[in-house]
């Protein structure tokens, strides 16, 4: 698919689903994820309430999103290794910038990429991305591997979410008036890949 033929689906003002946007790069993105996970292995972090998340996570970039008994936050050090997070690959940065621009957010420069790994049975409950210092930048979310049902909610947790099936290569971008929308992922089902990955690009600081 040429980029001029890209399938752009508007979810609401400030939020778009770019179907297949990362299709051409999926294999190399998966290679990069493997390389990053060699340096900063996936781990099931613990929520402030003391529950281990079903989604395993790692990060690349200057800042990584972490959670433990002390709370949700960004840090420049991987608490498991005591070292900085692996650098964000140029191809990641470039994909995020292009996707944001296609969605109408020019000049997106993420300093953080959270990498989520959902084995079948894993899910992520409705939440807002609000640990960033500045909500002016959008969120760019790339799906790879197994399909997933993305829950696209509203401004309140109790707003009934839309259920959007995301395939490998799909990218969702939200910002501006949609920046603080509740969202999540329903339980991932078994399928033709071992797991679902999600790359979430953010400007954390
Ligand atoms: C997230 O909101 O952190 C993950 C979204 C997704 O996996 O698609
Ligand atoms: Fe999120």
């Amino acid at each position: 698919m040429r980029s001029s033929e890209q399938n752009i689906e508007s979810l609401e003002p400030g939020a778009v689903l770019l179907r297949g946007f990362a299709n051409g790069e999926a294999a190399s993105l998966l290679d990069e994820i493997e390389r990053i996970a060699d340096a900063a292995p996936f781990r099931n972090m613990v929520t402030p309430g003391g529950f281990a998340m079903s989604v395993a996570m790692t990060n690349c970039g200057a800042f990584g999103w972490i959670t433990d008994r002390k709370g949700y936050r960004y840090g420049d050090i991987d608490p498991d290794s005591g070292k900085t997070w692996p650098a964000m690959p140029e191809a990641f940065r470039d994909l995020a910038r292009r996707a944001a621009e296609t969605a109408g957010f020019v000049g997106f420069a993420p300093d953080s990429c959270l990498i989520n790994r959902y084995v079948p049975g894993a899910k992520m409950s409705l939440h807002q991305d609000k640990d960033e210092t500045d909500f002016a930048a959008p969120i760019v979310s790339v799906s790879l591997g197994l399909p997933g049902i993305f829950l696209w909610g509203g401004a309140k947790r109790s707003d009934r979410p839309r259920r959007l099936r995301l395939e490998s290569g799909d990218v969702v971008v939200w910002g501006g008036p949609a920046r603080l929308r509740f969202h999540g992922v329903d339980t991932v089902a078994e399928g033709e890949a071992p797991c679902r990955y999600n790359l979430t690009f953010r400007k954390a600081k």
Side-chain angles (χ1 to χ4, degrees), residues 114 116 118 124 127 129 141 150 183 185 196 198 200 202:
L114 171 66
N116 292 142
Y118 300 75
M124 190 175 293
H127 64 278
D129 286 12
S141 175
F150 189 55
H183 59 281
V185 177
R196 172 175 186 266
N198 168 263
T200 302
R202 304 186 182 114

Side-chain angles (χ1 to χ4, degrees), residues 2 13 33 43 50 60 62 78-79 84 98 115 124 131 134 141 167 204:
R2 286 190 294 122
I33 291 172
R43 76 291 305 262
C60 65
D78 173 354
T84 55
R98 283 183 287 116
I115 308 175
M124 190 175 293
D131 301 320
D134 180 2
S141 175
E167 306 275 354

Side-chain angles (χ1 to χ4, degrees), residues 150-179:
F150 189 55
L151 305 172
W152 181 251
K156 299 193 304 283
R157 189 183 300 277
S158 57
D159 291 337
R160 189 196 185 89
R162 284 177 66 182
R163 299 171 60 81
L164 304 163
R165 183 184 162 96
L166 298 183
E167 306 275 354
S168 190
D170 290 350
V171 179
V172 184
V173 181
W174 64 96
R179 176 62 180 74

